[in-house]
């Protein structure tokens, strides 16, 4: 088909192409938050008349999106009730002494949990616990954290509830006329994928997972919570007049001074023989525990907060103030700007004490350091401000507070409700969305979840992204763009055996997923892939499942999936560590998944 004549006679298709290219650029460059990119494209589709408002916004009222919103509330109730306490006990057990045993536990126990509970809160809940396990046994977190992320990704394809992407695929499938997916539509393929992936991760963990935690620059005295911050030497400090080498900073606390600023001039290492003077500003590398201790003893003051805290103890826990860690997730609106530009303390009523960024050394002043996805901030704030941060989705709080402690008496009830939520649609004709909504009401009725916590549990950024992305697929189908792409790519796949053609589609989905969100890759590839069903002689449902599993294989980059980014900093991984461990798994899945698709659908 002549492309020029096609687009000249179909202005809507041309607009759709331009919108798709714009979205790809924005998704890859992360110029604005992904959900804003989605909403921008929906707005363009409506304004230009490519889609009617009803069609463009149909994703926001889909059963799949309502199911996801309910699932957020149910998973929150499970965590609040302590449903994962048994898992925590097993991880802390004295029987789990080696990384391989912990990986075995993670892959065989936590992965199935991710088939029902969204994987992001699972990783967030277990991350501090596993870091503590590593510290007690003097084992590098890099030996176990990446398998935690990968295991939840594999577990997320066991059922329809395992991932928001699964629900998006179900929604797009229904909009394109192929019906929605059932709760266990994925299971016959998901179980072999999980077992094969688990076997791979256990066998190669000792060889392919790096030991980053024993680097002398980052692990000192067995403590791995290393931060970078900027401090000032007050005139009353005992450090005044002491050299860096002979001061308590290095003799007792083993703090690394990376840079000294005096009277507006920067003094770089070697600094060992330099003597401290009042009002010196230091950029230091320090553990969380040592930073708190030094501040409590008035040995140093946090430079950025000096003016506002003179005469006060910044790190006291009076009046409900807490010190805690928070992770910048992928898509956070805070990424790309400095704390000073964000006016972070004024906007969030929270003080940034220090910054941790994987294995990278941060030698910028704290207020001027540009935040990146994956950064871990050491914060101090009142509980009310912490609640606001939890609800904003710009930060993922890694600590647990007293008000968040589980309602242990409700644990059996919460577990029973969750089991009923899964069994009801499996054994009756009740739709999944109805079962999930009933479960939400039951959680509130039996005291497992407060009504106000329902709204706080819902990830609005994910809801906006998924609701807007379904318009991409509809626009491609309505304008004939999906057919055009399929016709022009037909010559690539038409002469191939079915198995190799499926491998090409699968790998294409995997590659695109590494650069944009897996939800976006599904919205772009699925309408095109379905068009090959007649050429390849296989059911459209088979291609729907192929794209779904391809979009779930985020094993190559930290940005590939949220959980990869969550473990990237705490594990002190380098960029290619992810690919080194995940490339083999991706290759295996590229060979196994197409074969499983053929066995199930041919």
């Amino acid at each position: 088909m002549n492309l020029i004549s096609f687009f000249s006679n179909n202005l809507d298709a041309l607009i759709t192409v331009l919108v798709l290219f714009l979205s790809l650029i924005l998704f890859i460059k992360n110029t604005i938050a992904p959900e804003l990119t989605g909403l921008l494209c929906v707005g363009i589709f409506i304004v230009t008349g490519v889609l009617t408002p009803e069609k463009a916004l149909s994703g926001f009222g889909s059963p799949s999106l309502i199911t996801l919103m309910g699932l957020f509330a149910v998973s929150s109730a499970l965590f609040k009730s302590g449903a994962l306490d048994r898992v925590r006990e097993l991880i802390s057990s004295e029987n789990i002494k080696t990384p391989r045993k912990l990986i075995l536990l993670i892959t065989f126990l936590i992965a199935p949990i991710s088939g029902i509970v969204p994987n992001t809160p699972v990783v967030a809940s277990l991350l501090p616990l596993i870091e503590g396990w590593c510290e007690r046994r003097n084992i590098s977190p890099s030996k176990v954290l990446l398998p935690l992320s990968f295991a939840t990704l594999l577990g997320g394809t066991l059922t329809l509830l395992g991932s928001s992407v699964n629900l998006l695929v179900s929604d797009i499938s229904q909009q394109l006329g192929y019906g929605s997916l059932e709760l266990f539509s994925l299971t016959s393929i998901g179980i072999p994928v999980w077992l094969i992936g688990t076997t791979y991760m256990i066998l190669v963990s000792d060889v392919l997972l790096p030991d980053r935690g024993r680097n002398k620059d980052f692990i000192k005295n067995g403590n791995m919570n290393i931060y970078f911050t900027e401090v000032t030497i007050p005139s009353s400090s005992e450090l005044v007049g002491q050299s860096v080498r002979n001061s308590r900073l290095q003799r007792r606390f083993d703090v690394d001074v990376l840079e000294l600023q005096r009277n507006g001039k920067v003094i770089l290492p070697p600094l060992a023989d330099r003597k401290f003077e009042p009002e010196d500003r230091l950029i230091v590398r320090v553990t969380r525990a040592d930073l708190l201790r030094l501040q409590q003893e008035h040995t140093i003051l946090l430079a950025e907060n000096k003016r506002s805290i003179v005469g006060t103890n910044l790190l006291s826990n009076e009046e409900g103030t807490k010190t805690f860690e928070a992770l910048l997730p992928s898509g956070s609106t805070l990424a790309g700007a400095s704390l000073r530009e964000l006016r972070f303390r004024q906007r969030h009523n929270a003080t940034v004490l220090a910054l941790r960024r994987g294995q990278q050394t941060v030698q910028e002043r704290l207020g001027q350091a540009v935040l990146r996805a994956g950064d871990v901030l050491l914060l101090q704030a009142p509980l009310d401000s912490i609640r606001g941060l939890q609800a904003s989705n710009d930060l993922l709080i890694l600590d647990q507070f007293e008000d968040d402690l589980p309602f242990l008496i409700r644990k059996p009830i919460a577990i029973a409700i969750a089991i009923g939520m899964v069994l009801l649609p499996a054994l009756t004709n009740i739709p999944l969305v109805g079962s999930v909504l009933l479960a939400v009401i039951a959680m509130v009725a039996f005291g497992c979840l407060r009504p106000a916590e329902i709204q706080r549990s819902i990830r609005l950024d994910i809801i906006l992204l998924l609701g807007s992305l379904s318009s991409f697929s509809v626009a491609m189908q309505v304008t004939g763009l999906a057919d055009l792409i399929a016709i022009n790519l037909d010559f690539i796949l038409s002469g191939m055996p079915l198995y190799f053609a499926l491998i090409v589609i699968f790998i294409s989905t995997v590659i695109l997923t590494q650069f944009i969100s897996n939800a976006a890759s599904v919205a772009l590839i699925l309408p095109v892939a379905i068009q090959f069903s007649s050429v390849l002689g296989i059911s459209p449902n088979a291609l729907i499942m192929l794209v779904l599993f391809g979009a779930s294989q985020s094993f190559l980059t930290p940005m590939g999936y949220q959980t990869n980014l969550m473990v990237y900093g705490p594990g002190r991984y380098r960029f290619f560590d992810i690919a080194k461990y995940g490339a083999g798994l991706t290759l295996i899945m590229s060979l196994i998944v197409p074969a499983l698709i053929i066995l199930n659908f041919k």
Side-chain angles (χ1 to χ4, degrees), residues 64 67-68 71 160-161 163-171 432:
S64 297
T67 300
L68 180 61
L71 193 59
L160 185 63
L161 297 178
S163 168
S164 58
V165 174
N166 300 348
L167 293 167
L168 175 64
V169 170
S170 177
D171 185 33
L432 178 61

Side-chain angles (χ1 to χ4, degrees), residues 63-111:
S64 297
L65 208 63
I66 303 300
T67 300
L68 180 61
M69 294 171 69
L71 193 59
F72 280 132
V74 171
S75 64
S76 176
L78 286 171
F79 283 105
K80 290 282 289 184
S81 66
L84 288 186
D85 282 357
R86 181 56 182 161
V87 176
R88 293 170 176 271
E89 291 173 8
L90 289 173
I91 291 175
S92 303
S93 169
E94 289 301 318
N95 296 325
I96 309 298
K97 297 180 179 179
T98 65
R100 178 166 286 191
K101 285 187 176 180
L102 182 59
I103 293 171
L104 192 68
L105 177 67
I106 288 171
T107 51
F108 279 105
L109 183 61
I110 296 174

Side-chain angles (χ1 to χ4, degrees), residues 171-209:
D171 185 33
I172 293 175
S173 174
Q174 186 172 34
Q175 290 189 13
L176 297 181
Y178 299 102
S180 59
L181 302 179
E182 300 296 330
L183 178 59
F184 295 108
S185 296
L186 292 67
T187 308
S188 59
I189 300 172
I191 289 178
V193 164
W194 163 50
L195 294 176
I196 293 169
T198 292
T199 303
Y200 168 86
M201 287 196 292
I202 293 171
L203 292 178
V204 305
S205 59
D206 290 341
V207 178
L208 296 182
L209 285 173

